[in-house]
Amino acid sequence: MTLEDTDQIERRAGGKSPPIHGPEAFEAMRRAGQLTAKALDLMVEHVAPGVTTEALDKLAFEFAMDHGAYPAPLFYRGYPKAICTSINHVVCHGIPNDKPLREGDIVNIDITLIVDGWHGDSSRMYYVGAVPRRAERLCEITYEALMRGIAAVKPGATTNAIGAAIQAYAEGERCSVVRDFCGHGLGRVFHDAPTILHFVEPAYDVPLEAGMLFTIEPMINLGRPHVKVLGDGWTAVTRDRSLSAQFEHTVGVTETGCEIFTLSPNGWDKPPYRG
């Protein structure tokens, strides 16, 4: 989600606190999150040199239909596909097409499924064959940054605690954190409050409370943090064409910490995956 989107969400909220959800919502989010995780697991055996992202999109759409779900990105604000596939220097919102994946590519697959009206949102990086060590290292750093951000989630903490954990680790590894996109609240609504920045912003620091639902989805670049959106209005790329990686989980704040709704049932939350 872009920072412009978050501004609109915050204005609509009129300064009110983010929604607080109860046990029934958590159970619904478990179902949505697990189906999304299974869809991402399905990609493991299909991501390979020569496969098109269009084929991956079709696979995800058919999986959703077969399981009584609907891919939230499809036709969202005019987006034309069921999933996002972001390759190499594409930061996010890459549109699936008929160009084959190549040996050495890294690709982020971002899937959001609506199950009984609730959104499960998650993304992972995938290796296309053997990848360069710099690409592998970036993915490792990005996954660790995500998990450090998740570890900071608990009642009484704030959104900046998440951003601080991610930013300190990524920059300590000589990488940069993308500023233009962020995590977001969700549930029955695709994008909601609170905004989850992956860096520290003193002007925006929301207290975390049990019952909040949101994504954490850091985008980490090997080069500088600056991005630009291409002419299709969706595809965001690094301005310096450096590699970018992203991992995302949907979480809920509990009384003692947080619950991750989108963990892989096979333990395939980060590459290299073993089918």
Side-chain angles (χ1 to χ4, degrees):
M1 187 171 70
T2 68
L3 290 185
E4 288 82 359
D5 288 335
T6 68
D7 289 342
Q8 294 176 16
I9 288 169
E10 298 297 334
R11 283 197 295 271
R12 286 199 303 269
K16 296 179 182 177
S17 298
I20 302 298
H21 301 269
E24 291 184 1
F26 270 61
E27 183 55 39
M29 291 297 287
R30 290 183 193 110
R31 292 193 297 270
Q34 274 303 286
L35 192 64
T36 298
K38 289 176 181 177
L40 288 168
D41 280 3
L42 179 63
M43 299 292 142
V44 171
E45 62 183 290
H46 294 276
V47 173
V51 174
T52 67
T53 50
E54 180 75 42
L56 299 177
D57 182 79
K58 181 180 179 182
L59 186 69
F61 178 80
E62 292 176 348
F63 176 87
M65 294 298 100
D66 289 344
H67 290 82
Y70 188 83
L74 187 59
F75 306 129
Y76 178 79
R77 295 187 177 180
Y79 185 79
K81 298 293 181 178
I83 64 176
C84 298
T85 51
S86 302
I87 304 168
N88 295 334
H89 71 290
V90 178
V91 176
C92 61
H93 302 160
I95 301 173
N97 58 36
D98 59 2
K99 183 179 179 180
L101 294 169
R102 299 180 300 176
E103 180 87 14
D105 285 341
I106 56 172
V107 55
N108 176 272
I109 300 178
D110 191 339
I111 298 179
T112 305
L113 296 183
I114 305 172
V115 180
D116 297 326
W118 295 85
H119 293 72
D121 190 357
S122 186
S123 80
R124 303 179 200 159
M125 298 302 299
Y126 296 78
Y127 299 161
V128 183
V131 304
R133 176 54 191 155
R134 70 181 185 281
E136 188 178 56
R137 175 177 173 270
L138 174 63
C139 292
E140 291 169 353
I141 290 167
T142 306
Y143 179 78
E144 178 64 20
L146 167 66
M147 298 312 292
R148 290 188 181 213
I150 290 173
V153 176
K154 61 182 179 180
T158 67
T159 53
N160 265 341
I162 300 170
I166 291 169
Q167 183 178 10
Y169 177 72
E171 293 181 353
E173 294 293 330
R174 302 185 305 282
C175 295
S176 63
V177 180
V178 171
R179 264 62 167 179
D180 299 71
F181 300 92
C182 54
H184 53 89
L186 80 171
R188 288 192 174 277
V189 177
F190 193 180
H191 295 119
D192 205 347
T195 295
I196 304 297
L197 303 177
H198 306 115
F199 56 94
V200 175
E201 174 49 74
Y204 183 87
D205 197 18
V206 177
L208 301 180
E209 300 179 45
M212 286 183 179
L213 306 171
F214 50 81
T215 69
I216 304 176
E217 46 184 297
M219 287 140 275
I220 307 298
N221 297 345
L222 269 184
R224 298 177 66 82
H226 310 104
V227 308
K228 64 178 179 180
V229 177
L230 300 184
D232 60 26
W234 288 100
T235 307
V237 301
T238 55
R239 285 189 174 272
D240 60 8
R241 295 189 67 82
S242 63
L243 290 176
S244 186
Q246 179 187 23
F247 286 89
E248 174 183 14
H249 275 310
T250 297
V251 305
V253 184
T254 67
E255 295 294 342
T256 57
C258 79
E259 178 178 350
I260 305 173
F261 299 120
T262 47
L263 287 172
S264 163
N266 291 303
W268 297 341
D269 293 296
K270 63 175 183 175
Y273 307 116
R274 298 290 180 253

